[in-house]
Amino acid sequence: MTLPARVKVCEMGPRDGLQNEKAVVSTEDKIAYVNLLSEAGLPVIEATSFVSPKAIPQLSDATEVFAGIRKRPGTRYVVLTPNLKGLERARAAGADSIAVFTAASESFTKRNINMSIEQSLSAFGEVINAARLHGIWVRGYVSTAFGCPYEGTVPVDSVVRVTESLYKLGCDEISIGDTIGVGVSTQVHALIPRLSDIVPLENVALHFHDTYGQALANVEAGMQEGVAIFDSSAGGLGGCPYAPGASGNLGTEDLLYKLRGMDIETGVDLARVRAASRFIAGRLDHQLPSKAYTALEAASA
Ligand code: COA
Ligand code: ZN
């Protein structure tokens, strides 16, 4: 089993993180937050979300945020788009990378985007086609791949089916999400070889939440199976408004601490990620859950 020499870290804080926060964060602070993350050298930052402002009021200023951030050369700024309207808004703002999202379980898809999985795939087919026509890079998310808040266990076959569909529709990268953070490493070992039959693993990312403290073990399992792209969120922000009880994403600091210790290259400056976390922590009404962030802050106090 060989581990990757280099891992691509995709930062979810400004989107997956902030979409779940109750405290209103100003547009100016969101822009400053993304800029700090850019300065850390993160190769991918999910900057905001062009979804319905009724669904996610916190991110209703997507246009202003996207326009206001400094785009660092070498960083890809991804924005979430649930439909053609979202794509149009994203294009008008100048985005060159989008993400579409469906799930491996029906009930979650219904609550999240008010569609069946089948309907979502056909709707996203249109979004992906339109995006590719304009040379836009597309990421696809498969949520609830390791468990669903409404249905419990999610069969591996469902994950494989949805992933294959997104890949065939033209996604450049597909992120397999443990939206509620319930999965364990044996599930990762069981799933990835099945996915590698249908999608090259260099196009597959893993997206873990740390609800049950399993995220880093799952990253390890993913690396052992040949995955080298992982999503995480500065300070461990995050959750999902449609997934009761789900806690934050795997903390970017936790991921970077592990990878640095294992001599796996990321090109990301951990101290600068902490600076971004420290900044946003001052705008929120709670402590950040990331263990590495908390420990490093305490050690340097
Ligand atoms: N941007 C802005 N407004 C949008 C929009 C978009 N991308 N998509 C839809 N809307 C608006 C419509 O214009 C309409 O407004 P109106 O009531 O003033 O006419 C309203 O939202 C409802 O539109 P409709 O097409 O009926 O969609 P819906 O209510 O079935 O919602 C989604 C479907 C997908 C747009 C919505 O559920 C959504 O944005 N979900 C995002 C969920 C999310 O981000 N989850 C977390 C990420 S995992
Ligand atoms: Zn997530």
Side-chain angles (χ1 to χ4, degrees):
M1 240 177 247
T2 50
L3 293 174
R6 192 178 174 89
V7 154
K8 181 167 91 172
V9 177
C10 304
E11 173 59 47
M12 298 288 125
R15 198 279 300 170
D16 210 356
L18 289 186
Q19 76 183 11
N20 206 43
E21 292 296 333
K22 280 164 205 73
V24 179
V25 179
S26 72
T27 304
E28 195 186 8
D29 285 343
K30 287 174 192 160
I31 292 170
Y33 178 44
V34 176
N35 287 344
L36 286 168
L37 291 166
S38 293
E39 284 162 23
L42 287 150
V44 178
I45 300 176
E46 206 155 273
T48 185
S49 191
F50 289 90
V51 296
S52 156
K54 276 181 209 140
I56 313 279
Q58 177 74 272
L59 302 183
S60 58
D61 56 358
T63 298
E64 293 75 16
V65 169
F66 198 83
I69 58 177
R70 265 193 312 278
K71 278 93 178 170
R72 175 184 161 272
T75 295
R76 183 184 289 289
Y77 297 90
V78 179
V79 298
L80 212 63
T81 58
N83 50 22
L84 286 169
K85 177 162 187 176
L87 175 66
E88 278 324 301
R89 290 176 60 212
R91 281 207 334 114
D96 65 3
S97 303
I98 61 158
V100 298
F101 51 105
T102 184
S105 63
E106 288 293 351
S107 343
F108 182 83
T109 313
K110 185 74 192 161
R111 305 235 189 165
N112 194 25
I113 50 178
N114 195 23
M115 291 182 233
S116 68
I117 296 176
E118 211 47 54
Q119 285 170 329
S120 76
L121 289 170
S122 112
F124 287 134
E126 290 180 45
V127 175
I128 296 166
N129 280 340
R132 290 176 67 91
L133 216 57
H134 295 286
I136 290 175
W137 185 90
V138 183
R139 182 174 233 233
Y141 282 103
V142 182
S143 295
T144 62
F146 297 89
C148 169
Y150 311 108
E151 294 174 22
T153 311
V154 173
V156 169
D157 283 343
S158 311
V159 184
V160 171
R161 204 163 44 240
V162 175
T163 305
E164 183 170 28
S165 303
L166 283 175
Y167 188 61
K168 286 188 172 156
L169 287 171
C171 287
D172 295 284
E173 187 172 289
I174 299 174
S175 177
I176 311 296
D178 187 1
T179 314
I180 52 170
V182 293
V184 295
S185 57
T186 43
Q187 288 176 270
V188 180
H189 287 298
L191 175 64
I192 303 302
R194 292 282 311 279
L195 293 182
S196 70
D197 291 339
I198 50 166
V199 187
L201 286 185
E202 59 260 35
N203 302 99
V204 173
L206 285 168
H207 176 116
F208 295 117
H209 284 241
D210 208 23
T211 317
Y212 289 88
Q214 302 302 307
L216 280 179
N218 291 340
V219 166
E220 179 96 18
M223 290 197 295
Q224 288 171 350
E225 295 295 339
V227 176
I229 310 172
F230 295 95
D231 298 355
S232 63
S233 161
L237 282 188
C240 175
Y242 301 94
S247 77
N249 290 64
L250 166 61
T252 304
E253 290 90 343
D254 304 64
L255 179 61
L256 291 174
Y257 178 86
K258 175 183 175 68
L259 296 175
R260 186 177 73 180
M262 294 173 79
D263 275 330
I264 294 172
E265 218 183 302
T266 61
V268 185
D269 184 333
L270 174 50
R272 284 178 186 247
V273 174
R274 281 168 54 206
S277 294
R278 204 178 301 127
F279 172 82
I280 202 68
R283 304 314 191 258
L284 302 175
D285 50 11
H286 61 84
Q287 305 241 305
L288 298 180
S290 160
K291 286 205 162 180
Y293 169 76
T294 307
L296 290 165
E297 290 293 289
S300 67

